[in-house]
Amino acid sequence: MARTLEIVLLRTFVMLVEERSVTRVARRLHRTQPAVSLQLRRLEEAAGQPLFEADLRRLRLTPQGEALLPYARALLRMHDEARLKLSSDEIEGRVTLGCPDLYAAFLLPETLASFRRAYPRVEVSVRCALSRQLAAEMDEGLLDVAIATRMPGVDPRIAETTRLRSEPLVWLGAEGGGAYRRDPIPLAMLPEGNLYRDVALAALNENSLRWRVACVSESIAGLQAMALADAAVIVLAASVNARGLVGLEPDSGLPALPTVDLMLWRRRTSGSEAAEHFARHIERHVGN
């Protein structure tokens, strides 16, 4: 007879898939590594199937684990939504969110609107800056929650970190435009310290392509304006729907770009129930 798949065990399972490390999951849950491994064994016993291959040092899902994953994520979303909905009318306070301009423009409008409907007594303020600056501001206690791009060596010391999803990067140019064919290639870029800028320039250099920075803007709107005028090409996440711009395919001659991780940072010391509910709302609406 099949046993119940407990929510707490499913949550650990999904964390293991996302983090690909028992050590990191143990740290997130404030538990020991053997305790996390025990939770996994309990879930596998309940499922009656192995969910990961035998070597937990290299976490790879079995076919049964692959089949369970979308159901586990759906169950966790429904469970968390039910819990939050039952308490949403009682939650009030103020939350300060930090995020890069790109995410404020393309990810947040719908997420903020749905949060405002569910939590009318919570006030959210938004601070836009590059991920490196956001990490510093979180350590200074200026932010409760942040959405940022994973960058080497850039992590707030006082934050819990959750991977939301992966984002492929793409080259974009004006529809019918030819900026990408110019020599050197004109680029519209965010300021130094932005990961999109770093990986784009590295890819061009590795492929011995000549380039020049035609525009530096802290605003995504400024980059879009240059691209729409066919004065430059830009780099954005593939999920961004930028009107009038098209993705430049490999036959354009531009090099392939890597995938980056979108991260959620929660300040551990905020002690704010409103901030915790807001962070979970972001996980449900922005995460995989």
Side-chain angles (χ1 to χ4, degrees):
M1 181 176 177
R3 293 170 54 186
T4 300
L5 302 178
E6 299 177 34
I7 288 292
V8 67
L9 302 182
L10 290 173
R11 195 177 302 280
T12 299
F13 168 66
V14 171
M15 284 185 181
L16 286 167
V17 173
E18 292 174 347
E19 296 289 351
R20 297 186 288 273
S21 165
V22 174
T23 301
R24 286 195 292 269
V25 171
R27 191 177 301 125
R28 281 180 59 182
L29 293 175
H30 306 290
R31 301 177 71 92
T32 64
Q33 293 182 47
V36 171
S37 299
L38 178 60
Q39 285 190 323
L40 176 58
R41 286 199 298 272
R42 285 175 55 200
L43 181 61
E44 290 181 325
E45 289 171 3
Q49 304 281 353
L51 303 176
F52 287 96
E53 293 182 2
D55 185 0
L56 289 182
R57 291 172 297 179
R58 301 177 63 188
L59 288 173
R60 294 181 180 175
L61 288 171
T62 63
Q64 295 83 4
E66 293 279 4
L68 176 62
L69 182 59
Y71 291 102
R73 284 178 167 149
L75 286 168
L76 289 173
R77 279 195 298 270
M78 293 179 65
H79 172 269
D80 291 346
E81 285 175 7
R83 284 185 55 196
L84 295 177
K85 183 62 178 176
L86 290 172
S87 60
S88 62
D89 291 340
E90 303 172 3
I91 303 301
E92 61 182 15
R94 178 177 298 177
V95 179
T96 303
L97 167 69
C99 68
D101 184 63
L102 170 68
Y103 303 148
F106 294 103
L107 289 179
L108 287 186
E110 184 178 337
T111 301
L112 288 176
S114 61
F115 183 79
R116 190 175 296 113
R117 289 192 297 269
Y119 297 86
R121 301 170 67 181
V122 176
E123 177 185 335
V124 179
S125 58
V126 180
R127 156 75 173 142
C128 291
L130 296 178
S131 297
R132 192 180 302 276
Q133 179 63 29
L134 294 176
E137 292 186 6
M138 179 158 282
D139 283 337
E140 293 170 10
L142 301 178
L143 303 175
D144 299 302
V145 180
I147 302 174
T149 306
R150 191 201 295 267
M151 296 178 64
V154 179
D155 276 306
R157 296 186 303 275
I158 63 170
E160 291 185 10
T161 301
T162 303
R163 176 186 165 277
L164 291 171
R165 71 186 194 209
S166 294
E167 286 274 13
L169 298 184
V170 294
W171 298 99
L172 296 175
E175 190 171 0
Y180 67 92
R181 290 193 294 265
R182 296 178 198 144
D183 184 16
I185 302 164
L187 306 172
M189 299 266 109
L190 290 164
E192 291 185 10
N194 171 260
L195 184 64
Y196 291 17
R197 175 190 177 115
D198 293 346
V199 299
L201 298 184
L204 292 169
N205 290 335
E206 287 171 6
N207 286 270
S208 301
L209 294 173
R210 287 165 25 99
W211 54 269
R212 68 181 181 88
V213 177
C215 169
V216 176
S217 173
E218 294 185 355
S219 165
I220 296 300
L223 304 185
Q224 284 183 275
M226 288 290 289
L228 286 168
D230 197 28
V233 296
I234 64 176
V235 174
L236 292 178
S239 62
V240 170
N241 181 17
R243 291 183 180 179
L245 300 181
V246 295
L248 299 172
E249 301 298 330
D251 60 9
S252 69
L254 292 171
L257 295 172
T259 294
V260 299
D261 286 334
L262 187 61
M263 310 301 293
L264 176 68
W265 297 336
R266 296 177 174 88
R267 184 159 59 94
R268 294 191 190 100
T269 57
S270 74
S272 166
E273 193 173 10
E276 180 59 26
H277 281 250
F278 183 56
R280 291 183 182 179
H281 186 86
I282 290 174
E283 283 189 89
R284 295 197 308 276
H285 288 264
V286 179
N288 288 321

